């Protein structure tokens, strides 16, 4: 630690701190445009100038380390002044230069109300300009369907350039020209290829880069803001849902150092239009081969007639990837009341099971723990498509240096270098015998073995899991077995025990011809149900599940209900309601509670608080928000036989993985661009 005096206040900070960080520790406000805590230091906006005693001129505090400050001639502590006339004059001059070419767009700029340049011009600028020449004009660039450009406003802070190189790892953006002719652009003005590109709009301090789908839709002061959790993948990124009236206008990231830092994927951010398109807003019943609108009473009566005409052994229930813990708990309780054991939340057929211990199906090292890893092995996964924000965390650790990364599965383009070991089970068997990359893992103090759902959906999924656990060398101090989930509901469902009971059928068995008479489908849209069964579909969109349904019960989307989710780490998270469901759509637990009366298996709760009380009584860890409940590894010593064959990723099209995304026109455009890039690369 190093002592330094800032505006008369003595602080003790690490020597690696910049003066800007030291000043903020002392309570001083330092303006900045180019500096960002998660990006490398550029030092090119000069807005953060401060006066360092002994220095011949004001210095850029973002680029000067505390350890580089010299003591006074008599051993006095280094002294920094942030409010002197010299500093004020320097900042006024910098702001005057920044505004020389900046257009007077504030009344029509979408950044208005959230603009760093506006705020800092008011706080640190002057009210006049001595510049009389014409302003510079720059053509707007096309950089993709998600980010709109207005490059006249660009102040060359290079935040976007550094983000695409250091966080996204694609290096999509750069600068051409010099001096006044410098312009920020992509290579040949092509669309950015990163799955995190929307974050550059958050980083831009002046409105040169803005979210294109949200352009000219609303002002920030018109919006109601609700903290929530993302369900587009298994990471559980912290988000903020902004609503005007009943309509979701935009989704932004919230800071959560343990999970997503302050980044979110493009699917998380721009799936907004999918929340409004192709929505189910009333019950439907299939009559004469066609779905027709019906009342809730008619829909419930049709379901009751089918249930009463069969036996519990011929009834089943599936839970989809976007279901909340409360919804799955209500469905499981209803099935228990009916005596049904055919239930499953693993619609993709993965072999994960709560009987093997919680540590067998969660990301044990935690997402933040990736930064402590000294070796990583990826099995049957493409983290860039399955969880882009987690992939950015791996890149962050890789950029620190000395991190060997191995991959078994499809040879894919990640954002960091890796050693390609092989395509499938044969390579994994070789590693399990202690050869090759296994030696690297054995020598590592904190190895991580990331297992994707693509490797666990195979018939030998348990063998893959056991081999991965062996390679991870789990111990009480460090468990490196990391299951990468693609479904937001999966860990919560496994925690609930939403898996087949004694003699029950799993998801794939339930959907075969003649397996069941009645199937309750809670938003499971990624699986095909064979003809024969009477399907009751509870969901939000007219997707695959609704097309197969005999009765449709419209439900609320994740922004329209209060719910609990468990991310891939096993971290319990809470998502609050931001708006209300359209038409007659209701929350899933409320639909199931009303249906239970008709089916003669009345559930023991009449409200969401009562449901949660019963949930917490049965599973106490759900009450501990933002906590991770550990679990024992009980299968590591068992022997399973690996079967030959290549591993494939569970996600082939990142942009179209769930009903909400498939209803989004923006996601469809992104998907088409991604396929075009793959086709060009193949040619």
């Amino acid at each position: 630690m190093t002592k330094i005096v800032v505006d008369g206040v003595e602080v003790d900070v690490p020597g690696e701190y910049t003066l800007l960080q030291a000043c903020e520790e002392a309570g001083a406000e330092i303006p900045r445009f180019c500096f960002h805590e998660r990006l490398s230091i550029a030092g090119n906006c000069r807005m953060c100038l401060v006066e360092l005693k002994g220095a011949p001129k004001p210095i850029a505090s973002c680029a000067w380390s505390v350890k580089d400050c010299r003591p006074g001639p008599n051993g006095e502590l280094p002294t920094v002044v942030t409010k002197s006339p010299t500093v004020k004059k320097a900042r006024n001059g910098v702001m005057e230069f920044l505004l020389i070419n900046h257009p007077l767009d504030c009344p029509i700029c979408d950044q208005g109300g959230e603009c760093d340049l506006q705020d800092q011009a008011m706080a640190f600028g002057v009210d006049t300009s001595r510049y009389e020449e014409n302003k510079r004009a720059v053509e707007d660039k096309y950089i993709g369907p998600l980010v709109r450009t207005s490059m006249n406003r660009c102040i060359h802070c290079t935040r976007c350039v550094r983000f695409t190189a250091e966080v996204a790892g694609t290096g999509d953006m750069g600068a051409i020209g010099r001096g006044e002719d410098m312009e920020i652009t992509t290579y040949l003005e092509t669309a950015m290829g990163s799955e995190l590109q929307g974050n550059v709009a958050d980083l831009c301090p002046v409105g040169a880069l803005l979210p294109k789908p949200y352009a000219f839709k609303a002002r920030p002061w018109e919006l109601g803001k609700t903290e929530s959790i993302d369900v587009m993948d298994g990471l559980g990124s912290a988000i903020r849902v902004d609503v005007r009236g009943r309509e979701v206008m935009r989704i932004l990231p919230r800071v959560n150092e343990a999970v997503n830092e302050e980044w979110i994927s493009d699917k998380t951010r721009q799936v907004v239009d999918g929340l409004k398109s192709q929505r189910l807003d009333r019950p439907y019943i299939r009559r004469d081969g066609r779905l027709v609108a019906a009342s809730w009473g008619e829909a419930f009566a049709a379901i009751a007639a089918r249930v009463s005409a069969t036996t519990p052994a011929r009834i089943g229930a599936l839970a989809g990837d976007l279901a909340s813990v409360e919804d799955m708990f209500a469905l499981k309780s209803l099935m228990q009341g009916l005596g049904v054991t055919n239930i499953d939340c693993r619609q993709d057929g993965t072999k994960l099971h709560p009987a093997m211990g919680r540590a067998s199906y969660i990301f044990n090292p935690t997402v933040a723990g990736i930064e402590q890893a000294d070796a990583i092995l990826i099995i049957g996964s493409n983290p860039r498509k399955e969880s882009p924000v987690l992939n950015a965390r791996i890149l962050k650790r890789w950029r620190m240096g000395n991190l060997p990364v191995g991959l078994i599965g499809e040879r894919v383009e990640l954002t960091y270098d890796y050693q390609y070991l092989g395509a499938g089970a044969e390579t994994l068997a070789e590693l399990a015998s202690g050869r090759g990359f296994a030696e690297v893992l054995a020598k590592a103090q904190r190895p991580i073995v990331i297992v994707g759902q693509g490797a666990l959906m195979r018939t030998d999924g348990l063998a893959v899991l056991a081999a991965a656990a062996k390679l991870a060398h789990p111990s009480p101090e460090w468990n490196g077995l990391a299951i990468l989930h693609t479904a937001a509901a999966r860990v919560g469902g496994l925690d609930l025990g939403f898996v087949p009971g004694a003699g029950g059928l799993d998801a794939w068995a339930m959907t075969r011809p003649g397996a069941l008479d009645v199937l309750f489908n809670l938003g499971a849209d990624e699986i095909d149900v064979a003809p024969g069964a009477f399907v009751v579909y509870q969901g939000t969109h007219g997707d695959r599940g609704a097309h197969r349904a005999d009765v449709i019960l419209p439900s609320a989307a994740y922004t329209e209900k209060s719910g609990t989710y468990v991310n891939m780490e096993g971290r319990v998270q809470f998502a609050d309601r931001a708006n209300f469901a359209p038409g007659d759509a209701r929350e899933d637990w409320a639909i199931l509670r009303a249906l239970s009366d008709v089916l003669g298996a009345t559930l023991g709760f009449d409200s969401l608080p009562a449901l949660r009380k019963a949930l917490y009584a049965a599973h106490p860890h759900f009450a501990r928000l933002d906590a991770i409940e550990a679990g024992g590894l009980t299968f590591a010593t068992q022997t399973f036989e690996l079967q030959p064959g290549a591993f494939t990723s569970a996600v082939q099209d990142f942009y179209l993985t769930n009903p909400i995304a498939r209803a989004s026109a923006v996601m469809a455009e992104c998907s088409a661009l991604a396929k075009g890039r793959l086709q060009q690369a193949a040619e």
Side-chain angles (χ1 to χ4, degrees), residues 374-387:
D374 47 9
I376 294 178
L377 173 64
I378 302 172
I379 302 173
S381 175
N382 180 355
R384 181 174 172 182
K385 301 293 184 185
E386 296 175 21
S387 185

Side-chain angles (χ1 to χ4, degrees), residues 312-428:
R314 302 284 296 175
I315 301 174
L318 290 175
D321 294 345
L322 307 183
S324 70
V325 170
E326 290 86 350
D327 299 335
M328 289 186 286
F329 180 72
L331 181 57
K332 182 185 178 185
S333 300
L334 177 58
M335 292 300 105
Q336 288 175 336
L338 296 173
V340 174
T341 59
N342 306 315
I343 62 173
D344 206 348
C345 65
R346 306 162 301 176
Q347 62 171 320
D348 56 7
T350 182
K351 299 303 183 287
L352 300 173
H353 198 287
M356 296 184 293
R358 195 170 196 249
S360 69
Y361 60 82
I362 64 173
F363 202 96
N364 291 282
T366 72
V367 175
I370 291 173
E371 297 180 24
Q372 304 176 36
D374 47 9
I376 294 178
L377 173 64
I378 302 172
I379 302 173
S381 175
N382 180 355
R384 181 174 172 182
K385 301 293 184 185
E386 296 175 21
S387 185
V389 178
L390 181 138
N391 189 66
R393 185 81 75 146
I394 299 176
L395 172 63
K396 180 181 180 180
R397 171 62 187 89
W398 180 83
R399 284 174 51 84
M400 296 178 188
N402 195 27
L403 179 70
V405 180
L407 174 67
I408 303 176
E410 296 179 85
R411 191 189 293 268
V412 293
E413 182 182 350
L414 299 177
T415 54
Y416 39 84
D417 295 336
Y418 62 86
Q419 180 182 349
Y420 185 68
L421 306 176
E426 296 87 349
T427 306
L428 182 58

